[in-house]
Amino acid sequence: MARAQGARAQMAFAFETTYGTPPTGAYTKMPFASTSLGAEQPLQTSELLGYGRDPQAPIKDAVTADGNVVIPIDVEAFGFWLKAVFGAPTTTGAEAPYTHEFRSGNWALPSFSVETGMPEVPRYAMYSGCMVDSLNWQIARSGLLTATASIVAQGEEVATSTAVGTPTTIALKRFGHFNGAITRNGANIGNVVSADLTYANNLDRIETIRADGKIDGADPSIAALTGNVVVRFADQTLVTQAINGDACELAFSYMLPTGESLTVTAHAVYLPRPRIEISGPQGVQATFDWQAASDPIADRMCTVTLTNNREEY
């Protein structure tokens, strides 16, 4: 008897033309590290009296389909997730390399379908009407560079055979922490120990009354770009900015020797005044929990620029 193994799991991804309707083709095989994406339907305990101490049979509640997918931040496949988060990019370049610019603030975000497969069981779960609620990752000195996409889906359909045919494969080429840099107003920030950032669409589920218990969709509300930067306390630059209430531009970038790059630019970042603690003889660190806002000059909160050899997303 075959048993499910994560090492043999597969994931295919395709954007939808109609919300909640999985495409019949044009799927792409996506790299991923783990996923908690799934559907659940809780039971409502019977409240009825008069039948003795033993309860009556429970009834089914509404279906909830959501979860997280941990994905590598790579040169090509990551662009599909960026499109799901920000909407279609503006692409420039007559030939490779191409520059894809994703901008925050879009009201119309694309939905997509994801199929996860365990061929040895066999079990193939199709999640339709998927939208990305948030995307976050950590920046460190070493380790594997991955991001976590939090997904809201309409529903799950399980089958014993795949519905995606033969998906298109992508040559995996990953960015690493070693390729990263953080700048403030165009200049490198020194003494950074770690950082993280989260972009949230803050999706509002449309929970209408339906016979199948699924949602009708998910609308984006006010977006948010937040994070923190942990620095070795060496000067007063960031503290002074926090006290004055000024905004700065923070850019988180990765570049490979072969020319591919990824840059996340938060155009107007505000810093809170941090507590500076001396906890022992070691170096003193300060944590700045920053948040971004719309910049009147850029007319948006953030821009993500991905440069690679893919012509379009």
Side-chain angles (χ1 to χ4, degrees):
M1 178 181 176
R3 294 177 175 84
Q5 294 183 343
R8 296 188 62 186
Q10 303 170 358
M11 177 177 288
F13 179 111
F15 288 104
E16 298 174 347
T17 302
T18 303
Y19 176 81
T21 303
T24 57
Y27 284 84
T28 301
K29 185 177 181 180
M30 301 297 284
F32 72 106
S34 64
T35 178
S36 62
L37 186 60
E40 59 182 358
Q41 189 173 22
L43 298 175
Q44 291 283 0
T45 302
S46 175
E47 84 287 19
L48 300 178
L49 305 177
Y51 294 94
R53 291 188 57 221
D54 294 336
Q56 297 299 295
I59 61 172
K60 292 182 178 181
D61 204 353
V63 177
T64 301
D66 55 21
N68 297 330
V69 180
V70 179
I71 50 180
I73 298 181
D74 72 319
V75 168
E76 191 170 341
F78 194 60
F80 288 93
W81 295 104
L82 291 176
K83 180 179 177 180
V85 173
F86 296 99
T90 300
T91 300
T92 56
E95 59 183 20
Y98 301 95
T99 299
H100 311 280
E101 186 178 275
F102 303 85
R103 298 182 175 186
S104 63
N106 286 329
W107 286 104
L109 300 179
S111 65
F112 57 93
S113 292
V114 170
E115 184 190 77
T116 58
M118 291 178 281
E120 68 277 10
V121 175
R123 183 183 188 273
Y124 294 88
M126 176 66 77
Y127 301 96
S128 57
C130 295
M131 298 183 71
V132 175
D133 190 30
S134 66
L135 182 71
N136 72 83
W137 72 85
Q138 294 183 332
I139 301 166
R141 185 174 182 271
S142 62
L144 295 173
L145 180 58
T146 59
T148 300
S150 179
I151 296 175
V152 172
Q154 185 186 45
E156 173 192 68
E157 299 293 336
V158 178
T160 57
S161 60
T162 180
V164 305
T166 303
T168 303
T169 58
I170 292 177
L172 182 62
K173 192 174 187 180
R174 299 179 68 168
F175 292 106
H177 288 294
F178 179 75
N179 311 116
I182 304 175
T183 62
R184 175 184 177 273
N185 292 334
N188 288 328
I189 300 181
N191 301 296
V192 176
V193 177
S194 64
D196 69 58
L197 66 158
T198 300
Y199 182 86
N201 281 315
N202 292 316
L203 297 178
D204 179 24
R205 301 178 191 230
I206 305 174
E207 297 179 329
T208 56
I209 299 173
R210 294 171 49 130
D212 57 11
K214 298 179 180 179
I215 62 173
D216 257 351
D219 291 338
S221 58
I222 299 298
L225 178 60
T226 58
N228 67 56
V229 176
V230 181
V231 299
R232 279 294 182 106
F233 193 62
D235 60 57
Q236 290 279 89
T237 302
L238 297 180
V239 175
T240 301
Q241 177 189 329
I243 293 175
N244 294 338
D246 298 328
C248 72
E249 180 183 89
L250 287 184
F252 307 86
S253 61
Y254 304 92
M255 178 171 286
L256 296 180
T258 49
E260 297 89 350
S261 65
L262 172 67
T263 303
V264 180
T265 303
H267 298 288
V269 170
Y270 294 86
L271 304 175
R273 182 171 179 170
R275 182 192 300 271
I276 308 297
E277 297 183 356
I278 304 173
S279 56
Q282 292 80 17
V284 176
Q285 293 185 174
T287 300
F288 295 86
D289 294 313
W290 56 268
Q291 54 184 285
S294 179
D295 179 70
I297 298 176
D299 196 29
R300 56 187 176 277
M301 180 168 60
C302 71
T303 304
V304 181
T305 305
L306 177 63
T307 302
N308 57 24
N309 291 329
R310 188 178 187 89
E311 187 173 0
E312 62 180 4
Y313 283 98

